[in-house]
Amino acid sequence: MKRMFFVIIASAMMFAGGVQQVYAKGKAAPVRALELEIGAGMVSPTNKLDFDKNRVGYNINAELRCNFKTHPFDIGLRVDGGTFHRTLKLNKDLFKFRSLNVMAVFDWNINRKGIFSPYLGIGIGGGLTSNQGMSIKDVANQPFKETVNSAAFCVMPRVGVEIFHRARATLYYKHIKDANSHFGLSVGIVFGGGRK
């Protein structure tokens, strides 16, 4: 899975190198300075670790970005949270993995003048992780929970496309810790931003 993601990133960068000639011939399309994106999507753990099965989870996010008016870049702040599960069949245990992150993000926008504007980006920051074991029954035949919380540093390379300057689809890989690292696919609505 990781290999596939990096192949996608490398292909996108090669494509971006060709498209970048558009900016070499003239100024980038002027855009509004600020934009806010609200989004949600699906996440999937990168590996099963010692568990039997991964379950797809969900992510919600909000991102405030500042656009460079005459250059194809933006910087911003992203807040997101996600949850997914892993299971152990032998003990009938369900384990919940959560993360809440705050990251600085940086994107390189390609073809910002067009209806479809691809972008490459990265997020760097930190947050909190929560790993919760939820056994169906303990030895006394009663349900119980055990939670481990910790702080974590994270890095998030991503690639995506903005459509009509109002919707964004993003594929990303978020490296947090071995237990919490995951792939994600999110769709967001953009308020503000867009061409002047």
Side-chain angles (χ1 to χ4, degrees), residues 24-164:
K25 295 178 181 177
K27 293 182 178 179
V31 294
R32 295 181 180 88
L34 290 176
E35 62 185 25
L36 173 67
E37 178 186 352
I38 305 294
M42 300 180 300
V43 295
S44 178
T46 56
N47 57 58
K48 292 190 290 189
L49 303 176
D50 293 327
F51 297 89
D52 295 312
K53 188 177 180 180
N54 289 330
R55 293 189 182 181
V56 173
Y58 65 90
N59 172 275
I60 56 174
N61 60 78
E63 195 169 304
L64 181 64
R65 292 185 295 271
C66 179
N67 295 307
F68 291 86
K69 293 185 178 181
T70 56
H71 298 282
F73 304 105
D74 61 62
I75 58 173
L77 184 68
R78 176 186 174 99
V79 178
D80 71 13
T83 299
F84 59 83
H85 295 87
R86 292 184 175 103
T87 58
L88 281 174
K89 295 178 182 178
L90 180 63
N91 300 320
K92 296 183 179 179
D93 288 347
L94 180 68
F95 292 80
K96 182 185 290 185
F97 295 82
R98 289 179 172 171
S99 64
L100 176 63
N101 302 103
V102 178
M103 291 174 284
V105 290
F106 176 83
D107 292 321
W108 174 35
N109 303 286
I110 304 161
N111 190 32
R112 195 153 61 178
K113 296 179 182 180
I115 294 173
F116 296 94
S117 176
Y119 57 88
L120 297 171
I122 190 166
I124 299 174
L128 298 173
T129 64
S130 172
N131 303 336
Q132 184 178 77
M134 300 181 293
S135 289
I136 304 304
K137 300 288 182 179
D138 64 8
V139 292
N141 204 34
Q142 296 294 321
F144 72 98
K145 295 182 180 181
E146 181 181 358
T147 303
V148 177
N149 298 310
S150 61
F153 173 77
C154 66
V155 178
M156 184 189 71
R158 64 183 183 178
V159 60
V161 63
E162 185 168 301
I163 305 168
F164 294 110

Side-chain angles (χ1 to χ4, degrees), residues 163-176:
I163 305 168
F164 294 110
H165 309 288
R166 287 293 170 262
R168 283 168 62 109
T170 306
L171 174 66
Y172 61 88
Y173 166 67
K174 190 184 293 180
H175 179 76
I176 307 174

